């Protein structure tokens, strides 16, 4: 049941983009087309889960035992950068059109604070490895959901008659705010489930 609560909370209640405001750059930059947003979501999900596993192992078996916790951020960034390079090489070989479509945003996963944020949050929440993987996977799904829904909204906006003063980034930011407000409707769901199943 704990894993189900982590899953629901990470996707809907504490959505990494819409509630915690991490990963805004790819959220605004790659959300023009649904196809591109799906590809970006898959890349972020792969990197996020893999980075969480590796960083959790590094923290648990290297940094904490040797008293090197102060190196956490630097080490985590290096791990994430290496994984992004690996994803970039694989995408270039397997799917050149997707590689071209993602463009500059693929290397930006290296500095995507959502990936680094999840790696640090699982340590702060004192999750074990299985909980960390579930949290990373759920967060990646939440990121993908937000990105894809927002891409659909932006595609519809292209067909709409938007007032001149609101065209461009203005209507995009207003739409992002409305989407964030919609996700606020899920706040309290995890607390209600905890009470329902007697986990508090």
């Amino acid at each position: 049941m704990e894993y189900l609560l982590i899953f629901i909370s990470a996707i809907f209640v504490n959505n990494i983009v819409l509630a915690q405001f991490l990963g805004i750059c790819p959220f605004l930059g790659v959300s023009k087309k649904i196809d591109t947003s799906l590809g970006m979501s898959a890349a972020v999900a792969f990197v996020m889960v893999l980075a969480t596993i590796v960083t959790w192992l590094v923290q648990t078996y290297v940094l904490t035992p040797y008293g090197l916790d102060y190196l956490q951020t630097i080490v985590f960034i290096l791990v994430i950068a290496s994984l992004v390079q690996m994803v970039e090489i694989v995408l270039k070989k397997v799917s050149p059109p997707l590689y071209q479509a993602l463009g500059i945003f693929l290397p930006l996963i290296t500095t995507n604070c959502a990936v680094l944020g999840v790696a640090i949050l699982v340590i702060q929440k004192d999750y074990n490895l299985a909980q960390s993987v579930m949290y990373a996977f759920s967060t990646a799904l939440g990121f993908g959901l937000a990105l894809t829904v927002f891409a659909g909204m932006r595609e519809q906006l292209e067909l709409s008659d938007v007032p001149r003063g609101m065209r461009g980034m203005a209507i995009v930011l207003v739409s992002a705010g409305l989407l964030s407000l919609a996700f606020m409707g899920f706040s309290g769901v995890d607390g209600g489930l905890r009470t329902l199943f007697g986990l508090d």
Side-chain angles (χ1 to χ4, degrees):
M1 190 52 63
E2 188 67 35
Y3 292 95
L4 179 63
L5 288 172
I6 290 172
F7 183 78
I8 291 171
S9 177
I11 294 176
F12 300 109
V13 181
N14 296 315
N15 187 284
I16 195 81
V17 179
L18 301 173
Q20 299 184 51
F21 306 110
L22 296 172
I24 297 292
C25 179
F27 178 69
L28 294 175
V30 191
S31 58
K32 291 178 184 173
K33 299 286 178 191
I34 290 177
D35 294 341
T36 311
S37 66
L38 287 171
M40 182 65 165
S41 301
V44 166
F46 177 73
V47 171
M48 195 175 281
V49 171
L50 205 56
T52 301
I53 293 169
V54 175
T55 53
W56 189 90
L57 292 170
V58 168
Q59 179 73 37
T60 305
Y61 296 109
V62 179
L63 298 182
T64 302
Y66 294 102
L68 300 171
D69 293 319
Y70 60 92
L71 293 174
Q72 183 188 66
T73 305
I74 296 169
V75 171
F76 283 14
I77 288 172
L78 290 173
V79 168
I80 292 165
S82 305
L83 291 172
V84 169
Q85 289 299 316
M86 189 175 74
V87 170
E88 197 170 354
I89 291 166
V90 169
L91 269 184
K92 200 171 187 178
K93 298 269 187 202
V94 174
S95 179
L98 181 58
Y99 176 78
Q100 291 294 330
L102 291 175
I104 189 66
F105 293 100
L106 190 58
L108 281 179
I109 295 176
T110 307
T111 54
N112 185 347
C113 52
V115 179
L116 179 61
V118 168
I120 292 173
L121 280 171
V122 296
I123 304 299
Q124 289 178 349
K125 291 174 184 280
D126 202 25
Y127 284 160
N128 60 35
L129 184 57
Q131 290 172 325
S132 299
V133 170
M134 175 55 82
Y135 182 76
F137 178 70
S138 305
T139 301
L141 284 181
F143 178 84
L145 176 67
L147 195 62
T148 307
V149 169
F150 193 55
M153 289 172 68
R154 287 185 72 174
E155 284 188 0
Q156 287 298 314
L157 283 172
E158 292 293 323
L159 306 173
S160 302
D161 185 23
V162 179
R164 185 179 299 173
M166 290 295 290
R167 288 180 190 160
M169 193 50 71
I171 193 68
V172 170
L173 292 174
V174 168
S175 301
L178 291 173
L179 185 60
S180 181
L181 282 172
F183 268 71
M184 281 181 67
F186 294 110
S187 62
V189 169
D190 58 339
L193 287 173
R194 282 184 179 277
T195 305
L196 180 66
F197 294 106
L199 294 173
D200 279 338

